[in-house]
Amino acid sequence: MPLLIKDEYPEKLFRKDGKRLDGRSEKELRPIKMEVGVIQNADGSAYLEWGNNKIYAAVYGPREVHPHHLAKPDQGILRVFYRMATFSVFDRKRPAPGRREKEISMIVSDCIEPVLFLELYPGTSFEVFIDVMDADGGTRCASTTVAALALADAGIPMKSLVTAVAVGKIDGKKVVDLSGIEDKAGEADLPIAITWYNEEISLLQFDGDMDLIEMNEFLNDAKDALEKIHQIQLEALKSKYLKLQEDTKNVNEEGD
Amino acid sequence: MMDIRRIISKIEKDYIISNLRKEERIDGRGLWEYREFQIKNDIIASAEGSADVSLGDTKIITGLKYEVGEPFPDLPNEGVCTVMAELLPLASPLFERGPPDEQSIELARVVDRGIRHADCVQTKKLCIKEEELVYILFVDMYVINYAGNLIDAGGVGALTTLISAHIPEGVWNEDKREAEWTGKYLTGKDIVNELPFVVTYGKIDDMVFLDPSLPEELVCDGKISISVTEEKITSIQKSGAATFSIDEIKNLGEKSLEIGKKLRKNLNLLQYLSNIE
């Protein structure tokens, strides 16, 4: 359906002063904010703001599997449902889940599964619901990051967290953490996730072109960025308990 | 995590009812008291208007998108405003995946009717060229946490979203036979007139109370939602298996106008007008 403003991209993705359009340098991340325990009904939940991305994740489980035939007798199953709100993108998205959402759901699920001890939960399922309220590039990476956080908040045993980020190429230069415009108008996009217990890659996709030297540099840049994001994840988990500690202290003091 | 089941134990049900008999609520409220509303406007950069509304622990995010298209043949100079609601399985273990169920359709339709019959959205201002091109507005609600009374929270969410709107203003170009952007925006000031509030009551036995929380909603026989403008009632929806006496309905009508007035004053939704130029 037509709109009055066209979704156009600028010709250049760098400003005159050498900075990117949003004022970042090449290896700078967008501002990231994470919080856990935001959805009271869920067993675990997390909220993430990453640039203009706004994403909620909630975990329910271990619980009975519906439909029952999906249950595995020797292990639990992880099911991830990634959805975008109709108003999260420039052109209103159709309300029903599309092919892209199903693909991303699968990718995120495959990416997180290695850190869980599913063999300890035969016959059950863990369901992770990821709902993107506002999207601005890199939602699959942001979703992976926030989903791992929600699982940790649910107190589900994990070998480690999982963190994801996209690196890529815009106007011939390598950059970290592509924004929506950079993602659409840039030349290459490499989303990548790491499982920290073995420091191995568990999500990898690529669109564009790169030579071998560039690939090495991409992977190194990504590792640096992932470490920074991992710290934010850990802080978010800790801050929930620090706040609890603070609250109990206040209550105790009032009691005296 | 809260312990949420579809079935509430007899002992909990009795507790809720015995409290109501004393005109008290299990969360400490009076019979005609709302939980606290918290409102944030224009939180979604991709949307042409949005709101994050909490009513107690119930939380709904609403966003506005527009398209331009042909008007309905019987209303050639009026735009269209539709409301959709989705009960995300993220929001409660009671919600399931799949196509919209009764509860989400009811939520969307009750909020929609409240708005439609209250002269709220100025559909005539949403016309770019008669018989050719009008705005189609989509107000989409997503439930993020379900703790009872989605309808009242959704109503405030939809209103705040429309008030915070900033939709590109179109002008018809007869030569090209298409619309162009003037560079300005239509805001809530241009498109919103009346502010209808939905007021929902639960009923158990012969007791009626405002703003049912989740446990109250699970044990109640039924609910009634009444939308009111400053002077008038604009829509009513009775749902569930409860029956209401004629006197009860008369009383609730009066009460709703009174509560609507209080809400209008306390929430002061016009503060959320977009100030985009």
Side-chain angles (χ1 to χ4, degrees):
Chain A
M1 278 264 225
L3 299 173
L4 291 168
I5 301 179
K6 306 253 167 349
D7 192 11
E8 282 165 349
Y9 318 125
E11 261 174 50
K12 287 212 166 70
L13 294 169
F14 281 96
R15 306 192 306 209
K16 280 200 186 110
D17 61 1
K19 295 274 169 98
R20 291 150 78 175
L21 293 177
D22 50 15
R24 284 185 289 157
S25 62
E26 283 152 44
K27 295 192 180 166
E28 197 176 332
L29 292 164
R30 289 175 283 179
I32 301 177
K33 206 181 97 186
M34 301 185 204
E35 204 185 330
V36 296
V38 289
I39 296 169
Q40 294 85 347
N41 288 344
D43 295 322
S45 61
Y47 171 65
L48 167 75
E49 280 182 25
W50 184 331
N52 272 338
N53 288 311
K54 290 193 172 65
I55 306 176
Y56 285 90
V59 174
Y60 290 91
R63 66 179 179 184
E64 233 177 282
V65 189
H66 291 288
H68 200 67
H69 67 84
L70 293 177
K72 291 184 181 169
D74 57 339
Q75 65 168 95
I77 57 169
L78 172 69
R79 305 178 78 198
V80 173
F81 302 97
Y82 165 98
R83 290 284 307 278
M84 286 177 105
T86 54
F87 47 73
S88 65
V89 283
F90 187 79
D91 284 287
R92 179 175 186 261
K93 196 196 80 72
R94 292 166 58 92
R99 288 157 53 92
R100 181 179 167 278
E101 286 160 300
K102 291 199 173 149
E103 188 215 341
I104 294 182
S105 299
M106 187 198 77
I107 286 173
V108 175
S109 170
D110 290 349
C111 159
I112 293 176
E113 204 178 304
V115 302
L116 297 177
F117 297 91
L118 289 178
E119 66 279 7
L120 299 180
Y121 301 90
T124 66
S125 76
F126 293 97
E127 277 158 42
V128 182
F129 300 100
I130 303 168
D131 283 278
V132 178
M133 288 292 123
D134 205 349
D136 184 24
T139 59
R140 74 192 63 200
C141 295
S143 296
T144 305
T145 307
V146 71
L149 204 54
L151 282 160
D153 180 50
I156 293 162
M158 292 164 84
K159 294 169 196 164
S160 73
L161 282 170
V162 185
T163 311
V165 75
V167 289
K169 201 157 62 169
I170 58 170
D171 288 0
K173 287 185 187 160
K174 287 184 297 298
V175 293
V176 168
D177 183 21
L178 288 82
S179 69
I181 292 174
E182 291 171 342
D183 190 12
K184 286 177 203 145
E187 295 107 74
D189 175 26
L190 179 93
I192 184 166
I194 193 164
T195 48
W196 291 104
Y197 73 98
N198 57 1
E199 300 213 357
E200 290 194 344
I201 306 301
S202 85
L203 177 158
L204 193 58
Q205 294 184 301
F206 180 67
D207 296 295
D209 65 276
M210 60 180 171
D211 56 33
L212 285 175
I213 298 167
E214 279 175 330
M215 186 169 83
N216 291 342
E217 286 170 348
F218 275 143
L219 292 171
N220 291 338
D221 287 351
K223 183 77 191 295
D224 292 342
L226 287 167
E227 265 160 17
K228 286 181 206 151
I229 301 163
H230 187 214
Q231 282 311 314
I232 306 175
Q233 279 176 305
L234 294 174
E235 288 303 319
L237 279 174
K238 272 188 222 156
S239 72
K240 176 179 168 182
Y241 295 97
L242 286 175
K243 193 170 171 293
L244 271 178
Q245 202 175 32
E246 195 80 355
D247 291 350
T248 17
K249 213 166 98 189
N250 291 342
V251 170
N252 288 343
E253 275 167 15
E254 275 166 32
D256 296 338
Chain B
M1 178 218 172
M2 293 203 299
D3 194 16
I4 298 166
R5 275 149 296 149
R6 217 171 280 271
I7 300 160
I8 275 201
S9 65
K10 176 114 183 12
I11 197 160
E12 196 175 350
K13 183 172 177 172
D14 290 346
Y15 180 58
I16 293 172
I17 293 175
S18 66
N19 266 285
L20 285 172
R21 290 235 176 274
K22 292 183 282 181
E23 305 212 339
E24 282 170 12
R25 312 278 286 269
I26 50 169
D27 52 10
R29 280 184 291 158
L31 287 186
W32 312 108
E33 222 175 299
Y34 263 113
R35 289 167 289 173
E36 194 194 350
F37 273 103
Q38 282 184 347
I39 303 171
K40 279 182 244 161
N41 66 313
D42 215 9
I43 45 153
I44 309 287
S46 308
E48 275 79 30
S50 53
D52 174 342
V53 171
S54 298
L55 173 56
D57 280 339
T58 289
K59 182 185 178 77
I60 300 183
I61 294 184
T62 312
L64 173 75
K65 292 301 286 180
Y66 79 99
E67 287 175 357
V68 289
E70 266 180 49
F72 288 119
D74 54 337
L75 297 167
N77 62 344
E78 290 191 30
V80 184
C81 177
T82 64
V83 180
M84 184 205 77
E86 204 167 320
L87 311 183
L88 298 174
L90 154 130
S92 168
L94 302 178
F95 296 164
E96 284 168 15
R97 292 183 308 116
D101 66 345
E102 288 168 9
Q103 204 187 352
S104 71
I105 291 170
E106 186 184 41
L107 167 60
R109 284 187 51 84
V110 173
V111 171
D112 188 28
R113 282 166 34 213
I115 289 173
R116 194 176 295 276
H117 298 294
D119 191 30
C120 168
V121 180
Q122 300 294 288
T123 46
K124 290 207 170 77
K125 296 234 173 95
L126 293 174
C127 175
I128 299 173
K129 168 77 178 166
E130 202 171 316
E131 288 179 357
E132 299 277 353
L133 206 65
V134 296
Y135 287 97
I136 299 154
L137 304 188
F138 298 91
V139 176
D140 297 332
M141 303 186 273
Y142 286 87
V143 178
I144 303 291
N145 195 64
Y146 171 47
N149 198 5
L150 294 174
I151 290 179
D152 294 7
V156 171
L159 273 188
T160 311
T161 301
L162 286 164
I163 288 169
S164 75
H166 39 84
I167 305 160
E169 185 186 43
V171 60
W172 183 253
N173 182 325
E174 190 58 44
D175 299 334
K176 292 195 201 156
R177 298 201 58 74
E178 62 173 31
E180 288 165 352
W181 181 34
T182 60
K184 289 186 182 152
Y185 293 87
L186 292 173
T187 65
K189 221 184 265 171
D190 305 303
I191 60 170
V192 181
N193 185 26
E194 283 279 359
L195 299 181
F197 286 90
V198 198
V199 184
T200 297
Y201 308 88
K203 182 170 183 187
I204 304 175
D205 296 340
D206 57 345
M207 295 167 299
V208 182
F209 49 92
L210 180 69
D211 180 27
S213 65
L214 183 60
E216 289 167 343
E217 208 166 282
L218 290 176
V219 301
C220 76
D221 304 325
K223 293 185 293 176
I224 190 162
S225 300
I226 303 179
S227 300
V228 290
T229 60
E230 235 152 318
E231 306 286 328
K232 284 182 177 159
I233 293 169
T234 61
S235 84
I236 301 181
Q237 174 91 351
K238 191 235 98 183
S239 65
T243 53
F244 290 81
S245 74
I246 290 177
D247 280 342
E248 260 173 349
I249 291 171
K250 285 181 186 162
N251 283 338
L252 288 179
E254 203 181 309
K255 200 137 212 129
S256 302
L257 283 168
E258 194 184 299
I259 292 167
K261 270 203 185 83
K262 239 189 266 170
L263 272 184
R264 194 177 311 275
K265 185 162 162 271
N266 293 346
L267 299 183
N268 183 22
L269 293 184
L270 289 176
Q271 68 180 297
Y272 303 115
L273 276 173
S274 168
N275 46 21
I276 199 166
E277 275 306 308

